[in-house]
C-alpha cells in the first residue's frame, strides 16, 4: 500500500487525473494491495438513477484479516491500540496487533456461542474502551453487522435504532466515566430493552465494580462468556458487497437514517484516504479524538488506521477533565504525531488560558486534522499557531457518514492548505458545484458558490438506507440528475479549492453532532402543554451552532420557567442531552406558508439576531406573527 502513497504535488495531480480518466483502473490498483480470499470479477457497476453502486463484485474477503491477520508476521508486536482512560491516574493500555487479533477472535467466538451468525445485526452501546473496538471487529470477523449507537444517546434513541434494524444482541457496559461523572449505561439499556423484542441476549462489560442489575436468561457478563470459548476463530468469507455495518445519522424527517456500508469498498476507501491524507510513517502515533459512535470513529480510529497497520489512540474521557490541558497532556505523554479533532473542541480549548497548552511538550506533533463542521478562521489560526506551532499542516477533512471516507481535504505536507478551506478533492472524488437552477458550475477558474454534489461513485459510498431504499433515492439522488447530493453548501475559489459553508437542509450541527430538527420537534410536541413547535440552529461561539426552539402552548397554559426546564428535560430524555435547546421562546404562532410549511428561514434569522433583511415574506399566511416573535426573541 505504501507505494501508492502520494508523495509530491505532481503525484497528487497525476493520481487525480488517472482517477477521473479511468476510475476502475485507478481503484483496481489500490484494491490489489489488500488481502482478498478471491479477487473481484468486476470493479464497478453503478447507476445513480436507480440508485445502485457495486464495487469489486465477486471479490471475497474479510476486513479483519486486513486489519489484523496480515500485520502479524511483520509487526505482530507493534501497538495497534493505545487506550487512554478518563482518569489520568488510571493506567493506559497498550494492545499489540497480536493481542488484538487474539481478543477479537475470542470475542467472535462469544458472539457465535450466543447464536450470532453472518448477517445478524448486533447493537453496540459502549464507552470508549478497547472492548468497543474488539466487539466491532469481532462482529466483522464472523460477518455480523454492527450497529453502534453513541453512548450519549437516550434509551428511546437506542430502542428505535435496535428496532429499525432488528438487532438480536446488544453489547454494553455497566457504567461509563465521563469527566467527573459516572453514567449507568446498563440502566439506560434496560429502559430501552422494554421495547425491543428482537434482542435475545445482552452482553455486559464491567467497566466499574459497581453492582449491576442483570436479567436472568438474557443478560450475561463479558468475562463469564469469554471463559466458555477458545481463542481461534476463522474469518468468515464475505462478499465485497456484503453489509459491514449500519450507522444511524440524522435526517430532515424525524426518523434517523440507517446508513449501510459494505465490506470491500469501505475498506479500500477508508484505508487509501487514511494513508494519503495523514501521511503516517512507521513509528508514528495517531490520535483521533472522535467517539466510535460516529462515522469518524469507525473510519479513522478503527478500520482505516488498523488496515494501514498504524498505532491508533483511543481516549475514554473529555477535553476538560481533569483540566483543559488534558488533550495536550496526552499528546505529550504518548508522543502523538498526528492529532485529529473537531472545530467545536478547538474552539472550546481556545477559550481557555494558553497555560494549559504551554505546560505540555507538543514537539512530537507533525500533522493536525479537523473534521465535522466548518472550521472558522480564528479557530484555524489558534490550532495552527498554538498547537502546530506553525510547523504542522492542518488537514481540514470534509466528508460524511454517507461518504464513509474523506472526500475533500489537503494531503498533509503535499497539497497546499488554506484557512477555512477543505481545499481539493482527493483522487477518486469528482465534486460538482451546482447553481440555484440546478446546473453545474463548470468553470474551475472563477470563484463560485452553490451546493455540493458528487458526480461519480467512490468505493466507500453508503449503498442504501437500511430498510428504505426509496428514502435513500429521495434524499441523495433526486436533487440533481445522476448525481449524489451532499446536503452541504460550498464556495469554490478561482484555484479550485472548496470551502464548505454548512448544511442547506434541516440538519443542525451542534458541537459536531448532526441533529435533525424534526426529531427534536417531535420530542417537544410530546409535551402535553405543547401545541406545536419549530426548532432551528443559531451560531454559537463554542458549539458552532446551538438550538433555538419556538414553542406554541395551549391557550390556558402559562409560559413558565418550570415549563421551559420540563421541555429541555423531555428533549434530553428522548433524544439525548446534546439535543437540549439553549433557548426556548413561547410564541402564539409560527410563520407559515400557504401550503402550511413553517418558514424556518425566517426563524433562523430571528434566532441569529440577523433581522435586517428577512427576505420575501409575501408568501406567508400570517406575516403579522413575525413582529411578535421578533419583539420577544431571546437574545
Ligand atoms: C465526518 C462527519 C457530515 C456533515 C457534512 C458537513 C459537516 C464534516 C466538515 C464539515 C465543513 C468539514 N462537515 N466535515 N463541514 N468542513 N471539514 O462529520 O460526518 O457526522 O455525517 O457529518 O458534517 O455539513 O455534511 P457526519
Amino acid at each position: 500500500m505504501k507505494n501508492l502513497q502520494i508523495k509530491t504535488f505532481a503525484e497528487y495531480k497525476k493520481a487525480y487525473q488517472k482517477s477521473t480518466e479511468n476510475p476502475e483502473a485507478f481503484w483496481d490498483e489500490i484494491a490489489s494491495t489488500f488481502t482478498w480470499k478471491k479477487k473481484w470479477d468486476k470493479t464497478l457497476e453503478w447507476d445513480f438513477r436507480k440508485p445502485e453502486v457495486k464495487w469489486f463484485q465477486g471479490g471475497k474477503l474479510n476486513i479483519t484479516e486486513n486489519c489484523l491477520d496480515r500485520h502479524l508476521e511483520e509487526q505482530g508486536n507493534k501497538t495497534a491500540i493505545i487506550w487512554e482512560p478518563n482518569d489520568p491516574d488510571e493506567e493506559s493500555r497498550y494492545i499489540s496487533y497480536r493481542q488484538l487479533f487474539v481478543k477479537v477472535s475470542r470475542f467472535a467466538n462469544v458472539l457465535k456461542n450466543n447464536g450470532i451468525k453472518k448477517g445478524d445485526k448486533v447493537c453496540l452501546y459502549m464507552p470508549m474502551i478497547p472492548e468497543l473496538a474488539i466487539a466491532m471487529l469481532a462482529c466483522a470477523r464472523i460477518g455480523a453487522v454492527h450497529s453502534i449507537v453513541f453512548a450519549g444517546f437516550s434509551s428511546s434513541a437506542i430502542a428505535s435504532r435496535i428496532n429499525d434494524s432488528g438487532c438480536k444482541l446488544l453489547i454494553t457496559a455497566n457504567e461509563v466515566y465521563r469527566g467527573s461523572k459516572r453514567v449507568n449505561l446498563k440502566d439506560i439499556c434496560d429502559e430501552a430493552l422494554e421495547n425491543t423484542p428482537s434482542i435475545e441476549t445482552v452482553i455486559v462489560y464491567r467497566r466499574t465494580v459497581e453492582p449491576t442489575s442483570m436479567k436472568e436468561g438474557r443478560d450475561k457478563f463479558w468475562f463469564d462468556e469469554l471463559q466458555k470459548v477458545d481463542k481461534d476463530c476463522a474469518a468468515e468469507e464475505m462478499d465485497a458487497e456484503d453489509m459491514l455495518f449500519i450507522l444511524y445519522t440524522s435526517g430532515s424527517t424525524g426518523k434517523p437514517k440507517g446508513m449501510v456500508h459494505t465490506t470491500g469498498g469501505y475498506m479500500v476507501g477508508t484505508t487509501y484516504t487514511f494513508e494519503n491524507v495523514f501521511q503516517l510513517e512507521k513509528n508514528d502515533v495517531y490520535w483521533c479524538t472522535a467517539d466510535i459512535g460516529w462515522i469518524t470513529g469507525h473510519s479513522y480510529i478503527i478500520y482505516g488506521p488498523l488496515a494501514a497497520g498504524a498505532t491508533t489512540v483511543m481516549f475514554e474521557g473529555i477535553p476538560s477533565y481533569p483540566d483543559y490541558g488534558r488533550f495536550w497532556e496526552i499528546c505529550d505523554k504518548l508522543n502523538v504525531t498526528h492529532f485529529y479533532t473537531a472545530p467545536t473542541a478547538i474552539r472550546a480549548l481556545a477559550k481557555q488560558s494558553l497555560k494549559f497548552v504551554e505546560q505540555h511538550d507538543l514537539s512530537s506533533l507533525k500533522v493536525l486534522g479537523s473534521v465535522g463542521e466548518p472550521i472558522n478562521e480564528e479557530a484555524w489560526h489558534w490550532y495552527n499557531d498554538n498547537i502546530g506551532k506553525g510547523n504542522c499542516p492542518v488537514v481540514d477533512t470534509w466528508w460524511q457518514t454517507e461518504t464513509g471516507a474523506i472526500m475533500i481535504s489537503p494531503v498533509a505536507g503535499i497539497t497546499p492548505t488554506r484557512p477555512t478551506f477543505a481545499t481539493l478533492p482527493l483522487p477518486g472524488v469528482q465534486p460538482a458545484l451546482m447553481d440555484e437552477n440546478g446546473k453545474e458550475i463548470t468553470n474551475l477558474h472563477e470563484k463560485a458558490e452553490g451546493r455540493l454534489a458528487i458526480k461519480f461513485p467512490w468505493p466507500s459510498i453508503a449503498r442504501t438506507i437500511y430498510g428504505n431504499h426509496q428514502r435513500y433515492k429521495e434524499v441523495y439522488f433526486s436533487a440533481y440528475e445522476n448525481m449524489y447530493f451532499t446536503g452541504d453548501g460550498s464556495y469554490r475559489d478561482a484555484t479550485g479549492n472548496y470551502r464548505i459553508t454548512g448544511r442547506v437542509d434541516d440538519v443542525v450541527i451542534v458541537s459536531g453532532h448532526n441533529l435533525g430538527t424534526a426529531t427534536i420537534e417531535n420530542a417537544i410536541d410530546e409535551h402535553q402543554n405543547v401545541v406545536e413547535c419549530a426548532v432551528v440552529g443559531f451560531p454559537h461561539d463554542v458549539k458552532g451552532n446551538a438550538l433555538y426552539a419556538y414553542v406554541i402552548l395551549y391557550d390556558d397554559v402559562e409560559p413558565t420557567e418550570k415549563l421551559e426546564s420540563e421541555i429541555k428535560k423531555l428533549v434530553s430524555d428522548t433524544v439525548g442531552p446534546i439535543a437540549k435547546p439553549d433557548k426556548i421562546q413561547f410564541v402564539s404562532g409560527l410563520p407559515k406558508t400557504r401550503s402550511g410549511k413553517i418558514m424556518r428561514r425566517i426563524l433562523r434569522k430571528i434566532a441569529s439576531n440577523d433581522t435586517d433583511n428577512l427576505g420575501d415574506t409575501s408568501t406567508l399566511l400570517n406575516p403579522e406573527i413575525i413582529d411578535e416573535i421578533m419583539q420577544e426573541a431571546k437574545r
Side-chain angles (χ1 to χ4, degrees), residues 251-539:
S252 41
T253 73
K255 202 165 175 255
K257 301 171 291 196
M259 304 313 306
V260 171
H261 281 285
T262 57
T263 308
Y266 177 79
M267 171 183 77
V268 170
T270 52
T271 315
Y272 175 75
T273 51
F274 175 75
E275 292 215 2
N276 279 290
V277 168
F278 294 103
Q279 297 280 321
L280 257 73
E281 290 167 291
K282 202 161 176 241
N283 295 317
D284 284 346
V285 176
Y286 162 90
W287 178 20
C288 166
T289 69
D291 191 287
I292 291 178
W294 312 116
I295 192 69
T296 307
H298 281 62
S299 302
Y300 297 108
I301 297 180
I302 302 300
Y303 289 114
L306 294 179
T311 297
T312 176
V313 176
M314 238 180 119
F315 175 44
E316 184 186 35
I318 55 173
S320 55
Y321 179 81
D323 65 39
Y324 281 98
R326 184 70 167 127
F327 273 5
W328 321 127
E329 185 221 329
I330 297 174
C331 287
D332 185 353
K333 173 176 160 193
L334 304 179
N335 287 315
V336 171
T337 54
H338 292 68
F339 179 74
Y340 189 27
T341 195
T344 184
I346 299 169
R347 287 190 298 265
L349 295 169
K351 281 198 142 186
Q352 313 305 321
S353 154
L354 262 186
K355 80 168 199 277
F356 289 116
V357 178
E358 286 157 357
Q359 283 164 352
H360 306 285
D361 178 3
L362 296 181
S363 60
S364 58
L365 287 173
K366 299 195 227 176
V367 174
L368 300 178
S370 172
V371 60
E373 58 184 314
I375 180 164
N376 49 309
E377 190 105 27
E378 224 184 323
W380 195 98
H381 285 292
W382 185 87
Y383 197 33
N384 181 60
D385 299 350
N386 295 297
I387 306 306
K389 320 285 182 199
N391 289 322
C392 302
V394 176
V395 291
D396 177 1
T397 64
W398 173 82
W399 59 294
Q400 310 177 296
T401 304
E402 295 85 341
T403 70
I406 300 171
M407 302 290 278
I408 303 182
S409 167
V411 175
I414 286 157
T415 63
T417 61
R418 178 168 173 198
T420 76
F421 280 74
T423 71
L424 301 171
L426 293 178
V429 176
Q430 300 186 30
L433 200 57
M434 311 301 288
D435 71 14
E436 66 256 32
N437 302 316
K439 285 244 155 24
E440 184 182 353
I441 310 168
T442 50
N443 185 352
L444 279 173
H445 306 291
E446 212 169 88
K447 58 185 181 191
E449 195 155 358
R451 295 179 170 208
L452 188 63
I454 316 281
K455 289 191 277 193
F456 195 86
W458 58 100
S460 61
I461 183 176
R463 303 298 195 259
T464 189
I465 292 175
Y466 188 81
N468 199 345
H469 200 65
Q470 185 56 28
R471 186 172 177 203
Y472 176 69
K473 181 175 177 169
E474 279 159 20
V475 176
Y476 304 105
F477 299 93
S478 23
Y480 307 112
E481 208 191 338
N482 213 20
M483 287 191 194
Y484 165 85
F485 175 48
T486 64
D488 282 330
S490 178
Y491 165 85
R492 188 171 62 207
D493 72 10
T495 48
N497 286 296
Y498 289 84
R499 164 206 259 158
I500 311 302
T501 47
R503 303 288 312 188
V504 293
D505 56 11
D506 289 330
V507 174
V508 182
I509 305 188
V510 178
S511 299
H513 304 309
N514 295 15
L515 300 171
T517 51
T519 317
I520 301 161
E521 288 167 5
N522 292 346
I524 297 177
D525 288 341
E526 289 296 305
H527 194 287
Q528 54 174 2
N529 297 139
V530 171
V531 180
E532 198 184 355
C533 72
V535 172
V536 297
F538 69 97

